[in-house]
Short mmCIF file of all heavy atoms in Angstrom, two decimals:
data_model
loop_
_atom_site.label_atom_id
_atom_site.label_comp_id
_atom_site.label_asym_id
_atom_site.label_seq_id
_atom_site.Cartn_x
_atom_site.Cartn_y
_atom_site.Cartn_z
N GLY A 49 -101.34 -92.80 -65.98
CA GLY A 49 -99.91 -92.76 -66.23
C GLY A 49 -99.25 -93.76 -65.32
O GLY A 49 -99.65 -94.90 -65.24
N CYS A 50 -98.25 -93.34 -64.59
CA CYS A 50 -97.56 -94.30 -63.75
C CYS A 50 -98.37 -94.69 -62.54
O CYS A 50 -98.04 -95.65 -61.87
CB CYS A 50 -96.19 -93.76 -63.35
SG CYS A 50 -96.21 -92.12 -62.69
N SER A 51 -99.45 -93.97 -62.21
CA SER A 51 -100.23 -94.32 -61.03
C SER A 51 -101.17 -95.47 -61.30
O SER A 51 -101.53 -96.20 -60.41
CB SER A 51 -101.03 -93.11 -60.55
OG SER A 51 -102.06 -92.82 -61.46
N GLY A 52 -101.66 -95.60 -62.54
CA GLY A 52 -102.56 -96.69 -62.88
C GLY A 52 -104.00 -96.42 -62.56
O GLY A 52 -104.85 -97.24 -62.83
N GLY A 53 -104.38 -95.24 -62.02
CA GLY A 53 -105.77 -95.02 -61.70
C GLY A 53 -106.31 -93.74 -62.20
O GLY A 53 -107.46 -93.42 -62.02
N LYS A 54 -105.55 -92.95 -62.89
CA LYS A 54 -105.95 -91.59 -63.24
C LYS A 54 -106.52 -91.53 -64.63
O LYS A 54 -106.12 -92.26 -65.51
CB LYS A 54 -104.72 -90.71 -63.12
CG LYS A 54 -104.88 -89.36 -63.66
CD LYS A 54 -103.58 -88.65 -63.48
CE LYS A 54 -102.66 -89.06 -64.52
NZ LYS A 54 -101.44 -88.59 -64.66
N GLU A 55 -107.49 -90.65 -64.84
CA GLU A 55 -108.05 -90.48 -66.17
C GLU A 55 -106.98 -90.02 -67.13
O GLU A 55 -106.26 -89.10 -66.88
CB GLU A 55 -109.17 -89.43 -66.14
CG GLU A 55 -109.67 -89.13 -67.53
CD GLU A 55 -110.76 -88.11 -67.53
OE1 GLU A 55 -111.22 -87.73 -66.48
OE2 GLU A 55 -111.14 -87.68 -68.61
N GLN A 56 -106.90 -90.73 -68.28
CA GLN A 56 -105.90 -90.34 -69.25
C GLN A 56 -106.49 -90.11 -70.61
O GLN A 56 -105.79 -89.87 -71.55
CB GLN A 56 -104.84 -91.43 -69.38
CG GLN A 56 -103.60 -91.06 -68.66
CD GLN A 56 -102.44 -91.83 -69.16
OE1 GLN A 56 -102.55 -92.79 -69.90
NE2 GLN A 56 -101.29 -91.43 -68.76
N THR A 57 -107.73 -90.29 -70.74
CA THR A 57 -108.30 -90.13 -72.04
C THR A 57 -108.13 -88.72 -72.47
O THR A 57 -107.40 -88.40 -73.36
CB THR A 57 -109.78 -90.44 -72.01
OG1 THR A 57 -109.92 -91.69 -71.47
CG2 THR A 57 -110.33 -90.37 -73.37
N PRO A 58 -108.81 -87.81 -71.80
CA PRO A 58 -108.54 -86.46 -72.17
C PRO A 58 -107.24 -86.06 -71.54
O PRO A 58 -106.82 -84.95 -71.71
CB PRO A 58 -109.69 -85.70 -71.56
CG PRO A 58 -110.62 -86.67 -71.02
CD PRO A 58 -109.90 -87.95 -70.92
N GLN A 59 -106.67 -86.89 -70.71
CA GLN A 59 -105.62 -86.46 -69.83
C GLN A 59 -104.28 -86.14 -70.42
O GLN A 59 -104.07 -86.20 -71.60
CB GLN A 59 -105.44 -87.49 -68.76
CG GLN A 59 -105.45 -86.78 -67.49
CD GLN A 59 -105.31 -87.70 -66.34
OE1 GLN A 59 -105.71 -87.34 -65.34
NE2 GLN A 59 -104.76 -88.83 -66.46
N PRO A 60 -103.34 -85.90 -69.56
CA PRO A 60 -102.10 -85.18 -69.81
C PRO A 60 -100.91 -85.49 -68.93
O PRO A 60 -100.86 -86.46 -68.24
CB PRO A 60 -102.52 -83.78 -69.59
CG PRO A 60 -103.66 -83.87 -68.65
CD PRO A 60 -104.13 -85.29 -68.64
N SER A 61 -99.96 -84.63 -68.96
CA SER A 61 -98.75 -84.74 -68.17
C SER A 61 -98.63 -83.48 -67.31
O SER A 61 -99.55 -82.79 -67.14
CB SER A 61 -97.57 -84.90 -69.09
OG SER A 61 -97.83 -85.90 -70.02
N ALA A 62 -97.54 -83.04 -66.78
CA ALA A 62 -97.58 -81.91 -65.87
C ALA A 62 -96.62 -80.78 -66.15
O ALA A 62 -96.39 -80.49 -67.27
CB ALA A 62 -97.48 -82.44 -64.48
N LYS A 63 -95.99 -80.04 -65.35
CA LYS A 63 -95.50 -78.70 -65.65
C LYS A 63 -94.01 -78.42 -65.61
O LYS A 63 -93.27 -79.07 -64.91
CB LYS A 63 -96.25 -77.77 -64.71
CG LYS A 63 -95.40 -76.85 -63.93
CD LYS A 63 -96.24 -76.08 -62.97
CE LYS A 63 -95.42 -75.10 -62.27
NZ LYS A 63 -96.07 -74.41 -61.24
N PRO A 64 -93.55 -77.42 -66.37
CA PRO A 64 -92.14 -77.19 -66.52
C PRO A 64 -91.46 -76.59 -65.32
O PRO A 64 -90.28 -76.76 -65.14
CB PRO A 64 -92.04 -76.24 -67.70
CG PRO A 64 -93.39 -75.73 -67.97
CD PRO A 64 -94.35 -76.53 -67.15
N GLU A 65 -92.18 -75.86 -64.53
CA GLU A 65 -91.54 -75.24 -63.38
C GLU A 65 -92.60 -74.99 -62.32
O GLU A 65 -93.78 -74.93 -62.60
CB GLU A 65 -90.88 -73.91 -63.77
CG GLU A 65 -91.83 -72.95 -64.47
CD GLU A 65 -91.12 -71.72 -64.97
OE1 GLU A 65 -89.92 -71.82 -65.27
OE2 GLU A 65 -91.75 -70.66 -65.07
N ALA A 66 -92.18 -74.87 -61.08
CA ALA A 66 -93.14 -74.74 -59.99
C ALA A 66 -93.96 -73.48 -60.10
O ALA A 66 -95.11 -73.44 -59.76
CB ALA A 66 -92.41 -74.78 -58.65
N SER A 67 -93.37 -72.41 -60.56
CA SER A 67 -94.08 -71.14 -60.67
C SER A 67 -94.71 -71.03 -62.04
O SER A 67 -94.02 -71.06 -63.05
CB SER A 67 -93.11 -69.97 -60.47
OG SER A 67 -92.62 -69.97 -59.15
#
Side-chain angles (χ1 to χ4, degrees):
C50 50
S51 70
K54 170 181 79 178
E55 174 180 353
Q56 257 200 349
T57 306
Q59 230 179 204
S61 311
K63 129 185 184 187
E65 54 186 28
S67 294

